Amino acid sequence: DALRAPGKKKAIYAAGAATRADNGTFVKVGKIAASCGAKLFCESMFSRLDRGVGFPHAARLPYFPQDAVREFSKYDVVLCIDAKKPVAMFGYEEGPVDLIPLNEDHLWEIDTSFNIESAVDMLFEEMGAARIKPGTNCGGVFVVKEARPRKLSDGKLRAMSLMSLVASHQPEDAIIVDESLTSGTNYYEASKGCPAFTHLFQTGGAIGIGPPLAVGAAVACPGRKVINIQADGSGLYSPQALWTQAKEGLDVITVICSNRKYNILNLELEKQKVTSASHAENLTNLSNPPINWVALAEGFGVKSSKATTVAEFDQQFKKAVATRGPHLIEAII
């Protein structure tokens, strides 16, 4: 009844089993959202999201708590499906903790006390969501046509152009292991119209998951191309995964977003009003000396190259996509 209530602005916040292709669950969640005019959201740091053509496109919850609270404040009713009520990643002085500013009468949860697939099936039937046809009456919830980023002019490689190039060339059924952090802020929208793919992300505040997660994905799905979009600072926590990729001949492309700093820590320090006068800048700087990712990866047995321009990365990435086996590209941004 809450989802049917006229005049109410509704949102569905989905995670876990509700955002996977298994048994059509995510598609059903998208149709439920479309059937009641609800805005569909996913976690900021989701574990797995099946995306691209044929799937719903969920709005990603903003990372910073003030932005997330502002977004959820627009809605009268929120339904969480296999998603815990979101809280702030870190504690900020006078900052919010709970990110959905609604009381229990307006916040509904289908959580782990339910069989998620069965609960979604029941809600799907109750809402008459079978009548929703993607591209016809889905209200824009579903991605129905392939739409890659436009072709870029040559020039210095930057974070936004890097993410657009990855989205332009990633193959259908790819597995994207995304630990790009600040460098990858536009990848989510740039890849919206790509052929169907699986997007894996970090699931908390720890860093370094990217390279070993790429190993696990490649071992589990040997027939799928794995692309690890990897922040350089975080990648330094687990570079030995490159040796495993070489030893096992895993089909992984590692794209190092080499801005030569722990930029995510700089942003958090700014939020806490910690300035460079406290030597924070020196502690988060990776340029003195710079990490030579090409030499590092080759030392582990992985074919490697470096790109500083749009044209260089475009050529190197297309070649890596067309070739099996581990590759690493250090993208200087």
Side-chain angles (χ1 to χ4, degrees):
D1 290 342
L3 292 179
R4 290 197 185 99
K8 299 290 186 180
K9 295 192 70 175
K10 292 151 280 197
I12 293 176
Y13 179 56
T19 56
R20 297 203 296 263
D22 306 10
N23 299 320
T25 301
F26 190 31
V27 168
K28 290 176 182 175
V29 169
K31 289 185 176 183
I32 292 167
S35 71
C36 63
K39 181 69 175 283
L40 180 60
F41 286 92
C42 68
E43 295 172 300
S44 175
M45 293 188 174
F46 49 83
S47 57
R48 171 181 165 182
L49 192 62
D50 287 316
R51 301 185 53 216
V53 175
F55 290 106
H57 181 67
R60 195 169 181 180
L61 188 67
Y63 170 76
F64 289 110
Q66 293 87 348
D67 298 330
V69 169
R70 191 177 302 116
E71 187 63 38
F72 273 132
S73 295
K74 300 174 184 176
Y75 300 96
D76 303 305
V77 176
V78 175
L79 170 64
C80 298
I81 306 180
D82 204 19
K84 294 180 179 179
K85 290 184 290 186
V87 296
M89 176 67 68
F90 297 107
Y92 301 100
E93 187 175 357
E94 298 180 0
V97 175
D98 294 313
L99 304 186
I100 301 181
L102 295 174
N103 62 41
E104 291 186 357
D105 291 335
H106 299 92
L107 176 60
W108 298 80
E109 296 178 83
I110 300 175
D111 57 23
T112 52
S113 63
F114 295 84
N115 179 301
I116 299 301
E117 288 184 10
S118 297
V120 168
D121 285 344
M122 291 174 62
L123 188 57
F124 183 82
E125 292 295 327
E126 185 68 23
M127 297 301 298
R131 62 185 171 83
I132 299 298
K133 307 299 180 188
T136 301
N137 62 345
C138 70
V141 172
F142 283 81
V143 180
V144 294
K145 292 183 180 179
E146 182 178 341
R148 304 274 191 158
R150 61 178 178 81
K151 185 175 176 60
L152 300 175
S153 302
D154 194 16
K156 181 178 172 57
L157 194 59
R158 302 187 186 279
M160 288 188 67
S161 56
L162 174 62
M163 296 303 128
S164 293
L165 289 167
V166 172
S168 293
H169 300 303
Q170 67 183 63
E172 184 173 5
D173 207 30
I175 299 174
I176 305 299
V177 175
D178 184 358
E179 197 182 18
S180 54
L181 300 177
T182 58
S183 297
T185 51
N186 76 307
Y187 172 76
Y188 189 79
E189 289 301 321
S191 59
K192 173 181 176 179
C194 288
F197 68 102
T198 296
H199 194 166
L200 308 181
F201 200 74
Q202 63 195 106
T203 56
I207 54 179
I209 192 175
L213 183 57
V215 167
V219 170
C221 304
R224 302 175 67 180
K225 178 71 77 174
V226 178
I227 301 170
N228 175 200
I229 313 174
Q230 183 61 52
D232 55 352
S234 300
L236 290 173
Y237 281 72
S238 49
Q240 64 272 30
L242 295 170
W243 181 80
T244 304
Q245 293 174 19
K247 182 176 185 292
E248 301 297 333
L250 301 179
D251 196 13
V252 178
I253 303 171
T254 302
V255 176
I256 298 294
C257 307
S258 187
N259 59 12
R260 294 176 175 169
K261 54 189 172 183
Y262 282 103
N263 204 37
I264 186 63
L265 298 183
N266 287 333
L267 289 177
E268 292 292 351
L269 289 168
E270 286 177 16
K271 283 280 184 181
Q272 302 289 3
K273 297 181 173 57
V274 178
T275 68
S276 58
S278 65
H279 305 290
E281 184 177 356
N282 183 55
L283 291 172
T284 59
N285 191 307
L286 296 174
S287 63
N288 184 29
I291 310 300
N292 186 336
W293 278 95
V294 172
L296 179 67
E298 289 181 345
F300 283 123
V302 173
K303 294 179 182 178
S304 306
S305 58
K306 180 169 69 175
T308 60
T309 67
V310 167
E312 288 174 352
F313 183 82
D314 188 64
Q315 180 182 26
Q316 292 172 25
F317 188 68
K318 283 193 291 188
K319 182 179 179 181
V321 168
T323 308
R324 282 195 62 82
H327 293 76
L328 179 142
I329 305 171
E330 182 180 10
I332 307 296
I333 55 176

